[in-house]
Amino acid sequence: MKLIFLGPPGAGKGTQAERVAETYGLAHISTGEMLRSEMRRETPLGLEAKAYMEAGELVPDELVIRMAGERLNAPDAKGFLLDGFPRTLAQAEALSGVTDVDAVINIDVPPERLAERLSGRRSCPGCGLTSHVSVLPSGKCPKCGGELVQRADDKHETVMERLEVYRKQTAPLVGYYADKNLLYTVNGDQDIDAVTRELTGVLRKFV
Ligand code: AMP
């Protein structure tokens, strides 16, 4: 299966992508995770991406397209799930020159729910678990006991900018993929397991 998960920041793409990739044995390709890893390792790409990411802006197309293209060429990426890529029409066009896709899943959440979801998001630097302050008010990771932290770009001002960037630059991809008859929409405004069930139902026809 070759899939794209589309949806605004805070829709739960990462959480669902992890589950679906595991279930179907797909390479989970998250450009946001790849860029954060480049930043931690202070590579030239990481250093270039840092200012954009911290401001909630998109990293320039040319850099992200090259990075995603290399990852898609890796031997383990025969079946893949793209999480957070493409995010612009230019990226979508570039992707179509590299590979076809079976389905684009739009995880739909009303805009007014997103700011609260993102600002309350916490993750564990130790094991990668992602959760929400309302679920884990203790600030401790239930899996490994680590101290949960907030992603730098989940701070309130940056969140508002990311949502605006989504609306202007990424939301047009919903229509772009609908026109190609590739779009499936899933209701992301329900509990995590219910979203996974709905997604699995959509994906059944591609297995
Ligand atoms: P994410 O983890 O998907 O929310 O991505 C975090 C940040 O990484 C975004 O706010 C962008 O700054 C950058 N980023 C991730 N994927 C892309 C992309 N496809 N195009 C441009 N910037 C990206």
Side-chain angles (χ1 to χ4, degrees):
M1 267 195 283
K2 299 176 179 181
L3 305 175
I4 296 174
F5 275 14
L6 206 60
K13 291 190 297 297
T15 304
Q16 297 297 335
E18 221 161 84
R19 292 179 166 203
V20 168
E22 161 104 37
T23 304
Y24 298 104
L26 306 174
H28 175 192
I29 303 179
S30 157
T31 44
E33 275 306 325
M34 290 170 77
L35 289 166
R36 279 187 288 280
S37 157
E38 299 279 342
M39 263 169 63
R40 279 194 297 274
R41 289 181 286 127
E42 299 187 348
T43 63
L45 171 59
L47 295 173
E48 193 161 353
K50 190 173 158 73
Y52 296 101
M53 293 175 72
E54 287 180 349
E57 305 292 340
L58 295 185
V59 174
D61 282 336
E62 170 208 326
L63 299 178
V64 181
I65 288 169
R66 189 168 355 115
M67 183 183 76
E70 283 169 11
R71 180 66 188 88
L72 283 165
N73 263 327
D76 72 318
K78 298 267 177 296
F80 58 78
L81 195 173
L82 286 167
D83 161 14
F85 180 89
R87 259 176 156 101
T88 63
L89 286 168
Q91 292 178 16
E93 287 292 340
L95 178 66
S96 71
V98 176
T99 180
D100 56 341
V101 295
D102 297 310
V104 179
I105 315 283
N106 180 29
I107 305 185
D108 193 34
V109 174
E112 63 275 13
R113 301 269 293 115
L114 298 168
E116 191 267 328
R117 280 189 177 204
L118 286 165
S119 306
R121 179 158 75 177
R122 298 290 181 272
S123 59
C124 174
C127 70
L129 173 123
T130 301
S131 190
H132 193 273
V133 277
S134 61
V135 182
L136 295 173
S138 72
K140 289 258 182 272
C141 175
K143 241 163 109 185
C144 73
E147 205 68 45
L148 300 178
V149 298
Q150 185 177 42
R151 243 169 71 172
D153 61 351
D154 281 344
K155 301 256 162 30
H156 183 72
E157 317 77 73
T158 322
V159 160
M160 299 320 279
E161 180 59 24
R162 287 165 64 205
L163 293 174
E164 187 57 14
V165 165
Y166 172 80
R167 199 180 61 76
K168 284 208 199 114
Q169 303 195 61
T170 308
L173 294 182
V174 173
Y176 173 90
Y177 285 117
D179 289 347
K180 295 184 184 298
N181 288 323
L182 288 171
L183 192 78
Y184 298 82
T185 296
V186 162
N187 174 16
D189 193 18
Q190 41 183 347
D191 77 59
I192 296 178
D193 290 339
V195 179
T196 308
R197 277 195 298 277
E198 202 178 318
L199 265 168
T200 312
V202 169
L203 295 178
R204 206 157 283 144
K205 71 185 256 199
F206 301 102
V207 181

